[in-house]
Amino acid sequence: MNRLLKFDYIKNTVIEIENSIIDGSYDEYINVDTFIDWWLITELSFNLDSCFNRSCYLVKDRDEKLEMGPVWDFDHAFGNFVMDWGYEYRWCILGEDPEDAYIRTNWYNYLLKDNAFRERAAKRWNEVKDGLVYTALSTIDECYTLIKPSADDNFSRWAILDKVAGYEREDVVNYNTYELQVEYLKNFIITRSEWITNNIELEQ
């Protein structure tokens, strides 16, 4: 298949899949489980970069359903991005119509209005939430000592602990030690997981 035919095949396939998501017949076209798992990781980490804006990856083998993932690009996740304010009370994936919106209306705006999708997503979250949170927190604890010498060297070389660096949130200046930043990350994960648990079964 030449390059032009490949482009047309991909274009037409994506249009067909998008239409199925909009009209609710998506189950024939997408691997719903992968769409749910990708969404849960994106929401737990509040990864705005993955919200159909930048680092959003999909996989499809010929004659197979479209799969969501792999997850990718977490430098602006876990409360490490200036636009993360309010992570505790909203879904990061839901887009808006204005052209200047950081996250535009996307497939998940439609999927999350579908009762069947929400029920499957809620069931999956209840199955995996404890394991996800435990794995995240225990991994942070395991890496704490391993990373600390590098963290000390980093902050010794770069005086950024008391200032906003790059696209960080302004309140990062309150976490001006390695220990405080680790604690912030752990609290973010706990707070975010609790919000998801309290809201995943609610209608939008």
Side-chain angles (χ1 to χ4, degrees):
M1 183 183 294
N2 63 43
R3 190 171 298 176
L4 182 58
L5 289 176
K6 287 182 180 178
F7 177 85
D8 287 340
Y9 167 75
I10 294 172
K11 176 184 176 181
N12 293 332
T13 298
V14 170
I15 290 174
E16 187 175 28
I17 291 170
E18 179 165 291
N19 288 336
S20 77
I21 290 173
I22 292 173
D23 68 25
S25 61
Y26 57 83
D27 198 54
E28 180 181 348
Y29 297 90
I30 68 173
N31 182 324
V32 179
D33 290 338
T34 66
F35 272 69
I36 289 173
D37 285 349
W38 182 93
W39 176 60
L40 294 179
I41 293 296
T42 297
E43 289 295 347
L44 179 60
S45 61
F46 207 86
N47 188 6
L48 288 173
D49 265 354
S50 286
C51 298
F52 286 79
N53 186 47
R54 296 187 193 176
S55 303
C56 182
Y57 293 95
L58 307 96
V59 175
K60 185 184 185 305
D61 292 329
R62 182 178 289 275
D63 300 325
E64 298 293 336
K65 294 182 179 181
L66 181 72
E67 297 186 2
M68 215 46 212
V71 293
W72 194 255
D73 197 357
F74 289 90
D75 61 320
H76 287 164
F78 296 103
N80 192 44
F81 188 35
V82 67
M83 297 185 71
D84 283 352
W85 290 103
Y87 66 83
E88 67 276 6
Y89 63 83
R90 65 186 175 96
W91 299 112
C92 80
I93 194 72
L94 293 180
E96 301 173 328
D97 290 331
E99 292 186 5
D100 61 347
Y102 187 77
I103 305 299
R104 300 287 303 279
T105 299
N106 60 71
W107 291 351
Y108 282 88
N109 283 78
Y110 299 97
L111 290 171
L112 293 177
K113 289 180 180 178
D114 183 85
N115 289 335
F117 184 89
R118 284 297 289 272
E119 288 175 4
R120 289 177 67 171
K123 180 180 179 181
R124 179 63 170 164
W125 172 252
N126 289 326
E127 291 172 350
V128 302
K129 64 179 180 179
D130 291 341
L132 284 176
V133 174
Y134 173 80
T135 299
L137 298 181
S138 61
T139 300
I140 293 171
D141 289 338
E142 291 172 5
C143 292
Y144 177 89
T145 303
L146 179 66
I147 294 174
K148 192 176 189 310
S150 296
D152 291 340
D153 289 344
N154 178 72
F155 295 129
S156 176
R157 176 65 179 86
W158 307 103
I160 59 174
L161 278 174
D162 294 295
K163 63 182 67 174
V164 175
Y167 294 100
E168 292 177 328
R169 290 165 48 150
E170 293 179 0
D171 63 337
V172 73
V173 297
N174 298 321
Y175 308 96
N176 57 359
T177 67
Y178 173 62
E179 291 75 16
L180 285 176
Q181 291 189 349
V182 169
E183 193 63 27
Y184 169 78
L185 175 59
K186 294 171 71 173
N187 287 335
F188 181 97
I189 293 169
I190 293 171
T191 300
R192 185 64 185 158
S193 65
E194 290 175 347
W195 187 91
I196 293 173
T197 297
N198 291 332
N199 289 272
I200 195 168
E201 295 187 30
L202 300 180
E203 293 295 331
Q204 294 297 307

